[in-house]
Amino acid sequence: MAEKVHRVVFQPDGRTLFVPDGQTLLDAARAAGIHMNAPCGGKGTCTGCRIIIPLSPPPPTETCLRELSGEEIRRNLRLACQTRVRGDLRVVIPEETRLGDQKILTDGVAREIALEPNVRKVAVHLPPPAVSDQRSDADRLIDGLAEKGIDGAHIDIRIARELPERLRALDFHPAAVVIGREVVYLDRPTAADACYGIAFDVGTTTLVGYLVDLVTGRLAAVASRGNPQAAYGDDVIARIEYCGRQAGGARTLNSLVVGALNEMVAECCRKAAVKASAVYEATVVGNSTMNHLLLRLPVDGIARAPFVAAAASAHTVSARDLGLRIHPRGRVYTAPLIASFVGADTVGVILATGMHESDRLRLAIDIGTNGEIVLGTRERLLACSTAAGPAFEGARIRYGMRAATGAIDRVDMDGERLVLHTIDEAPAVGLCGTGLIDAVAALVAAGVVTPSGMMRAAADVAKRTPALARRIQGADGETGFVLAAKGETLTGHPILLTQRDVREVQLAKGAMAAGVETLLAEFGAAASDIQEVLLAGAFGNYIRPDRALAIGLLPRVPLERVKFVGNAAGVGARMMLVNCGLRRAADDVARGVEHVELSQRPDFQPRFAEAMIFPPVTL
Ligand code: FES
């Protein structure tokens, strides 16, 4: 019997496809190539995949009824991952549900390093063979390279096979491309200057690529985009679960990320007017899961006790093997991992900030779903990862969204007047992580939220701040604070900070703070001993440190000790591209850093519980 199919039209793109009866709208959107938020990976717990079915929506499932408000159900909102297609549908994907163009941080700390790339392109003039000089073509080339300072070059058999013809075609005047010591290609002498590499920071949420001229060390172009794997879950656990549940799941996630890296290669090359075939090497930093998915290594051991990665060392593989569209004989170097949840991105942060060479006690924090923390000096570095959850990326927050156009990214209080700022100064669509921290800090400071995280009833607040009290409402059985009224938003619905949202912030900041305190205890230091707090990563660089200090997300240090280091992981990848000696340093760092497994520490839970409390806040 023919399979029953239905026509689904996704708006506003108008993309139409026929989907089998019973398929979820989340899977249908993926099949249509629409990247939709799905922070929980389709478990029905995050409400990130809200869609609107304007006409004849299917009855809400139990999960939709539990997770969405009565008002949202009345407005025909449903969760895409919970709604199965049983007839023809028109589906509207609201702005906040799309994985749109979020702000991606590409800049980072700058350090001066020597230009010693692993790839060199060397023009050599070789004497043509003669009866008096019967050296083989390969020896002739190796000797020519030695004269140019490249000792011990060797020639792969594939190159040797084509060498006689190629050398003669180039009149014994080739530009030899040497990666490490291996000759991989002979180019025209006029192309001797065209030698590029690309460094990638492969994050769970965002991807950044830096095209670098390996002759001058100059940054030639930058490209970034959201990680398309996010359609299969916001955090690494959701993606690992997807791989375990779905046959071919790991292959799907691998092709998504490789496809996005190839797009970035093409974009960088277009911007810099460079041919992709002139890019001979890529370096990659990424957390352990991103590293494994890219290398097609099994990921299941990472998330299951005893949390073991398949392979933690650095790898150099051929670009062709990975499907990366640089020069077909190019190489891809992936930096080593520290532990299952402390990856090569942390190695990149350490190299970029020079923590492994510093005498001063420094703390580096990359705030994210999987927060990574490093503390120490050149003598001793400790690292841990802590499950902060996706709240700061806008997930599990009632009106949460990523840092994209229309996101409320700043909240200030002027007396009793709330002052909001949105990204691109567009009408408000939702609340992103920085706005979330600001909002909570402001409400704790105003006494609307208590130190234990309870949102006070309007009647209690009215005595001191009547204007704020008017913003407190019941929101489907829980209390919420109206940040933007419906007339002030693009969506026409108000944007509230709910009691549950405050709780999510407490869990996230509690996890980060308890991680820091555990490392401090292990190191035998106090917060006041920390000479610098380095905020790395996309999120850390947009938060206001005074607000993060106020709610206890950062340890209590004087404000001037907090420094932004930008996308330090990406800088680390670039450094390893232009100076291959740093790859040895990366190995030393990966081996030398002591990993502290928080789940095994009896002192972590009590610290976590205590760290959830808000300190007294004055702004
Ligand atoms: S609720 Fe649908 S993806 Fe999370």
Side-chain angles (χ1 to χ4, degrees):
M1 206 172 74
E3 195 184 13
K4 208 163 148 196
V5 292
H6 307 288
R7 184 171 186 265
V8 176
V9 183
F10 287 102
Q11 301 286 22
D13 319 53
R15 255 183 258 184
T16 303
L17 81 164
F18 290 91
V19 306
D21 184 64
Q23 190 177 56
T24 68
L25 279 171
L26 179 63
D27 284 336
R30 286 167 174 166
I34 295 171
H35 298 312
M36 200 191 265
N37 250 331
C40 71
K43 285 195 230 139
T45 54
C46 70
T47 73
C49 63
R50 276 177 288 196
I51 40 104
I52 301 168
I53 306 174
L55 298 171
S56 316
T61 61
E62 262 179 42
T63 312
C64 288
L65 287 170
R66 189 183 62 238
E67 297 294 327
L68 297 173
S69 68
E71 165 64 15
E72 285 174 321
I73 297 284
R74 276 191 295 284
R75 287 183 21 241
N76 294 347
L77 260 84
R78 299 288 184 271
L79 297 177
C81 69
Q82 302 297 313
T83 306
R84 295 188 183 277
V85 182
R86 298 292 183 200
D88 292 355
L89 287 178
R90 187 161 67 82
V91 178
V92 178
I93 305 178
E95 190 61 31
E96 66 269 26
T97 303
R98 288 182 166 266
L99 281 178
D101 297 331
Q102 68 246 47
K103 275 213 261 181
I104 297 176
L105 184 71
T106 56
D107 291 339
V109 272
R111 292 184 71 203
E112 263 194 26
I113 47 160
L115 182 62
E116 272 172 39
N118 193 36
V119 182
R120 282 157 300 172
K121 198 170 189 181
V122 185
V124 280
H125 281 273
L126 305 175
V131 179
S132 56
D133 178 4
Q134 291 182 325
R135 284 176 298 167
S136 70
D137 287 340
D139 287 344
R140 190 172 303 278
L141 178 58
I142 288 168
D143 292 346
L145 286 170
E147 279 169 28
K148 294 278 187 168
I150 298 181
D151 290 321
H154 57 90
I155 294 175
D156 181 83
I157 187 69
R158 284 167 311 156
I159 302 290
R161 284 186 190 123
E162 62 196 39
L163 193 59
E165 192 182 334
R166 191 78 185 139
L167 271 184
R168 282 158 185 82
L170 295 169
D171 219 7
F172 288 90
H173 184 187
V177 178
V178 186
I179 304 185
R181 294 255 160 89
E182 192 175 333
V183 180
V184 299
Y185 184 64
L186 297 186
D187 207 346
R188 288 168 294 109
T190 47
D193 286 347
C195 183
Y196 291 82
I198 189 160
F200 288 115
D201 171 22
V202 179
T204 312
T205 310
T206 55
L207 309 171
V208 187
Y210 305 89
L211 183 71
V212 178
D213 182 335
L214 294 179
V215 177
T216 61
R218 185 182 58 89
L219 180 66
V222 180
S224 64
R225 57 223 335 96
N227 187 336
Q229 293 177 346
Y232 294 83
D234 248 21
D235 57 41
V236 293
I237 300 294
R239 292 187 210 166
I240 292 172
E241 283 174 0
Y242 174 74
C243 296
R245 182 171 81 231
Q246 182 69 44
R251 172 61 74 169
T252 303
L253 297 189
N254 171 270
S255 5
L256 281 172
V257 74
V258 172
L261 298 187
N262 280 328
E263 283 170 19
M264 289 196 291
V265 170
E267 185 183 329
C268 282
C269 287
R270 202 169 47 245
K271 284 179 178 167
V274 164
K275 286 193 185 135
S277 58
V279 182
Y280 297 100
E281 196 180 43
T283 54
V284 180
V285 298
N287 64 47
S288 309
T289 306
M290 294 303 107
N291 164 287
H292 276 39
L293 288 173
L294 178 66
L295 290 170
R296 301 195 300 276
L297 291 167
V299 286
D300 44 329
I302 293 179
R304 214 180 36 217
F307 313 113
V308 172
S313 55
H315 295 278
T316 301
V317 292
S318 79
R320 189 175 276 174
D321 176 76
L322 280 197
L324 192 68
R325 287 195 222 110
I326 55 174
H327 191 283
R329 292 200 179 134
R331 301 282 155 79
V332 182
Y333 162 85
T334 58
L337 315 173
I338 295 172
S340 287
F341 287 101
V342 186
D345 45 353
T346 301
V347 173
V349 170
I350 294 171
L351 290 180
T353 55
M355 288 181 81
H356 61 307
E357 296 169 337
S358 170
D359 290 325
R360 293 181 303 152
L361 183 62
R362 297 158 97 201
L363 172 77
I365 305 185
D366 189 343
I367 303 166
T369 306
N370 174 43
E372 290 173 3
I373 307 168
V374 186
L375 174 82
T377 64
R378 65 193 304 166
E379 299 296 332
R380 189 181 182 207
L381 281 174
L382 305 175
C384 71
S385 76
T386 181
F392 295 138
E393 283 162 10
R396 294 203 204 130
I397 299 298
R398 167 71 61 154
Y399 293 97
M401 65 181 288
R402 289 171 191 276
T405 302
I408 298 172
D409 63 343
R410 245 183 285 149
V411 179
D412 284 298
M413 203 78 89
D414 178 9
E416 281 191 51
R417 197 170 68 86
L418 212 58
V419 184
L420 304 181
H421 180 269
T422 60
I423 294 178
D424 298 332
E425 291 174 6
V429 177
L431 184 63
C432 69
T434 52
L436 181 65
I437 291 179
D438 278 18
V440 170
L443 295 190
V444 175
V448 174
V449 170
T450 66
S452 67
M454 284 301 298
M455 198 174 282
R456 291 198 159 97
D460 291 346
V461 176
K463 292 173 211 147
R464 282 200 308 157
T465 46
L468 295 183
R470 281 194 289 279
R471 289 178 176 266
I472 300 173
Q473 297 185 352
D476 290 304
E478 63 171 337
T479 314
F481 182 91
V482 178
L483 294 169
K486 59 183 179 187
E488 299 168 308
T489 67
L490 183 72
T491 51
H493 60 69
I495 296 171
L496 279 80
L497 180 82
T498 68
Q499 175 66 71
R500 229 198 302 178
D501 298 339
V502 176
R503 183 80 182 157
E504 291 290 340
V505 171
Q506 286 183 285
L507 290 170
K509 74 113 184 169
M512 293 299 306
V516 171
E517 280 167 30
T518 306
L519 289 194
L520 279 168
E522 184 65 32
F523 197 88
S528 55
D529 298 327
I530 302 173
Q531 283 158 296
E532 256 182 355
V533 174
L534 309 171
L535 291 179
F539 182 64
N541 279 272
Y542 294 114
I543 60 175
R544 292 200 275 177
D546 58 336
R547 303 306 199 262
L549 281 167
I551 66 163
L553 172 61
L554 300 179
R556 291 217 156 252
V557 296
L559 190 56
E560 60 278 8
R561 290 192 197 168
V562 181
K563 302 234 159 29
F564 295 109
V565 291
N567 183 13
V571 172
R574 262 161 70 188
M575 288 167 60
M576 286 182 267
L577 184 64
V578 296
N579 185 314
C580 60
L582 286 173
R583 298 180 195 181
R584 280 191 299 280
D587 286 339
D588 292 344
V589 164
R591 270 196 303 268
V593 171
E594 294 171 46
H595 175 237
V596 177
E597 177 57 59
L598 296 179
S599 64
Q600 300 303 308
R601 303 271 313 207
D603 50 349
F604 178 73
Q605 276 308 326
R607 284 201 182 98
F608 177 43
E610 203 169 306
M612 282 178 56
I613 306 288
F614 292 114
V617 175
T618 23
L619 297 177

